Amino acid sequence: MQKLIREFSRLPSLGEKSATRLAYYLVNNHRELALSLATALRDAAEHVKLCKQCYYLSEDDLCVICRNPGRDSSILCVVEKPADLMAIERVGEYRGLYHVLHGLWAPLRGQGPESMKLAELVARVKTGAVREVIVATGSTVEGDATALYVARLLGEMGVKSSRLAQGMPKGGELEYADEVTLSRAFSGRTVLG
Ligand SMILES: [Zn+2]
């Protein structure tokens, strides 16, 4: 039990108190859920990897979005993390492809451009198949800094980029934005360069 509580406490935003409650909930009263959860976790940890093209989560080399012939491969939407991509997909209006950075440019936290999948984005754009890039990082200081940095890189390559409209609350994390807000942010994009 102590080990389980300790492992739960290592999860983001789960203090020792919640970890303890969760551990007892599963082991004392919901043993079946505990077992199916364990199986699901193992399956995901063993089989889910990153898509070779966009770095979204996938069980195959290419994710379901990159494999979909109905998507427009000339438009890329750049997001910070998989949860942001999922939020945009829930709105169901965007028909292009994605590029997941897996990080933001955060010099104050010692995270430089090399800490995200930026070189991979540049390489992808260099193939010439991409016509437009939408930078959909959250409206935080780091999200803004990343958007400007990405736009400058793309501008040097002659690719136009835009940023989601700032309709989202300042400091807003994309993954928590509701669908109407996200949809509006998409249609009211601002050109970066
Ligand atoms: Zn993909």
Side-chain angles (χ1 to χ4, degrees), residues 51 53-56 62-63 66:
C51 169
Q53 183 165 260
C54 74
Y55 302 94
Y56 180 46
L62 288 181
C63 71
C66 287

Side-chain angles (χ1 to χ4, degrees), residues 3 5 35 37 43 56 72 76 112 114 127 166 171 189:
K3 189 179 173 210
I5 294 168
L35 288 174
L37 191 61
D43 280 353
Y56 180 46
D72 182 351
L76 283 191
E114 69 290 340
T127 62
Q166 305 293 298
R189 300 196 296 273

Side-chain angles (χ1 to χ4, degrees), residues 2 103 126 140 169:
Q2 283 311 316
K126 268 190 183 150
T140 58

Side-chain angles (χ1 to χ4, degrees), residues 61-73:
D61 283 352
L62 288 181
C63 71
V64 282
I65 297 169
C66 287
R67 280 201 313 254
N68 182 347
R71 310 282 302 216
D72 182 351
S73 57

Side-chain angles (χ1 to χ4, degrees), residues 95-112:
R95 300 304 301 156
L97 298 181
Y98 291 92
H99 190 89
V100 186
L101 289 174
H102 290 276
L104 288 177
W105 185 39
L108 293 178
R109 286 194 280 123
Q111 277 171 232

